Amino acid sequence: MVMEKRHIAFAGVSVAMVLLTAACGSSKDNSAGSANVQPAGGSQTVGAGASASAGAGAVAGATGGYEAGGDSGAAAGGEAGRTGPAQQLAVKEDAKLGKFVTDSKGWTLYRFDEDTPKPAKSNCNDDCATKWPAVPADDAAATTGIESSKLGSVTRSDGTKQLTLAGWPVYRFAGDAKPGDTKGQGVGGTWNALAPDGKPAGKTAAADDSLQLMVNNNAELGKIIVDGKGMTVYRFDKDSAWPMKTGCLGACLDTWKPVKAVDTTKVAGLDAAKVTSFKRPDGTKQAAFDCWLLYTFTGDKKPGDINGQGVKGTWFAVTDKGKKAGQ
């Protein structure tokens, strides 16, 4: 009798989860109007289309984005070689990665997908920074194949200056035992050797040509979603996620601009499986995350601004989990 009750309870939970998924609007393209009924079979489309991205995100999330793969880098003399300024950069090439950047001693240099280039921001600190030592910004020089204008610096959370290439913070990998090693390539699905233009070396380079949604670690609000230009993304309390509908129409759209539907292969730092689109009443497609429609604020003038946070008590920046920031 007890077992029978447990089976009934489990079945009830399963049905509830299915209904919640359907109400949320799990299809990649939700129908137009102020309220939307999802097409039959929509949730299956999302599951198939997003499974690869979700898997990669799960690996990175489970490992903190830096633990998986490689070794501890305990080779004799290896640690000393991975510290200090990069000095004269060099461009190497191999069959697997194509062209990638090294420091003057030949150590491979890396970038982290959960960082942001606009504005430059490192999200690798504490234990992560032990595994992936930041390259100091001083005494770095470009070489043939690297534009000197792409070299810069970013201030880390500990106050030190880190080298950047095309806005991306630059690291070495503790798992590389000797110059020329590329054991950090692909670790956690978020680490890649640096190509000379700042993109990830290897097969993923083309996919990163223009990130459309990514995560920025804001000093006040924590991890929040920004668009490909680094502008803060917001959600509106008068919208609805279950079912998806918009409450921002007419004059509202003069101030709050819907984020255009994005390519889920061009997001970083958030679960691509939760990125969907919504067909607005005017026929345009708007991006949504965890079923909440996304907007930018005309009052934000530069990347990193959060002037829309808390406006009228109904507009909030969106966390990397889809929640209202600062709540």
Side-chain angles (χ1 to χ4, degrees):
M1 184 67 177
V2 173
M3 290 298 294
E4 182 178 353
K5 289 182 178 179
R6 287 179 178 174
H7 284 306
I8 292 173
F10 179 76
V13 172
S14 300
V15 170
M17 289 300 292
V18 170
L19 292 175
L20 178 61
T21 300
C24 172
S26 58
S27 72
K28 284 290 182 183
D29 183 9
N30 298 294
S31 53
S34 59
N36 294 275
V37 178
Q38 306 310 315
S43 60
Q44 293 179 356
T45 301
V46 171
S51 60
S53 297
V59 171
T63 64
Y66 58 86
E67 297 281 353
D71 56 39
S72 63
E79 184 175 355
R82 289 189 301 271
T83 60
Q87 298 183 324
Q88 181 73 53
L89 301 178
V91 177
K92 304 294 184 182
E93 186 170 4
D94 69 18
K96 178 182 178 182
L97 298 180
K99 293 181 178 180
F100 63 97
V101 181
T102 72
D103 65 15
S104 62
K105 297 179 181 178
W107 292 94
T108 302
L109 302 181
Y110 298 89
R111 48 162 279 172
F112 185 31
D113 281 353
E114 293 187 15
D115 288 346
T116 57
K118 300 177 184 179
K121 176 73 175 180
S122 170
N123 289 317
C124 179
N125 300 290
D126 304 320
D127 290 343
C128 175
T130 300
K131 193 84 169 181
W132 301 89
V135 176
D138 56 315
D139 197 22
T143 189
T144 302
I146 300 176
E147 296 179 23
S148 58
S149 61
K150 290 185 178 291
L151 297 182
S153 67
V154 62
T155 302
R156 295 178 55 77
S157 60
D158 62 5
T160 59
K161 296 284 189 179
Q162 181 176 3
L163 177 67
T164 61
L165 178 59
W168 289 95
V170 179
Y171 306 84
R172 299 183 180 95
F173 180 45
D176 285 344
K178 63 183 184 301
D181 280 354
T182 57
K183 296 179 181 179
Q185 177 69 12
V187 168
T190 55
W191 290 92
N192 295 277
L194 265 168
D197 58 1
K199 297 174 183 176
K203 296 180 179 179
T204 57
D208 189 68
D209 189 40
S210 56
L211 286 176
Q212 296 173 350
L213 285 179
M214 52 191 174
V215 174
N216 182 31
N217 196 0
N218 182 271
E220 181 179 340
L221 300 178
K223 291 185 176 182
I224 58 173
I225 300 175
V226 298
D227 68 9
K229 297 179 180 179
M231 303 302 291
T232 301
V233 165
Y234 300 88
R235 50 176 277 186
F236 186 31
D237 278 355
K238 292 185 179 180
D239 285 349
S240 171
W242 303 279
M244 291 175 71
K245 66 179 182 179
T246 179
C248 183
L249 300 163
C252 174
L253 296 174
D254 294 334
T255 303
W256 302 91
K257 302 298 183 181
V259 175
K260 294 181 180 179
V262 303
D263 180 345
T264 57
T265 68
K266 295 183 178 181
V267 303
L270 61 155
D271 187 352
K274 293 183 178 181
V275 177
T276 56
S277 66
F278 168 80
K279 190 173 182 181
R280 296 186 58 81
D282 63 2
T284 60
K285 291 184 179 181
Q286 181 175 3
F289 183 67
D290 199 25
C291 302
W292 285 98
L293 305 185
L294 303 180
Y295 304 82
T296 54
F297 179 47
T298 56
D300 287 342
K301 301 305 180 183
K302 64 182 185 302
D305 281 354
I306 53 172
N307 298 320
Q309 175 67 9
V311 168
K312 295 185 178 180
T314 56
W315 290 93
F316 298 91
V318 185
T319 72
D320 60 331
K321 305 301 181 185
K323 306 301 182 183
K324 294 188 288 187
Q327 299 296 295

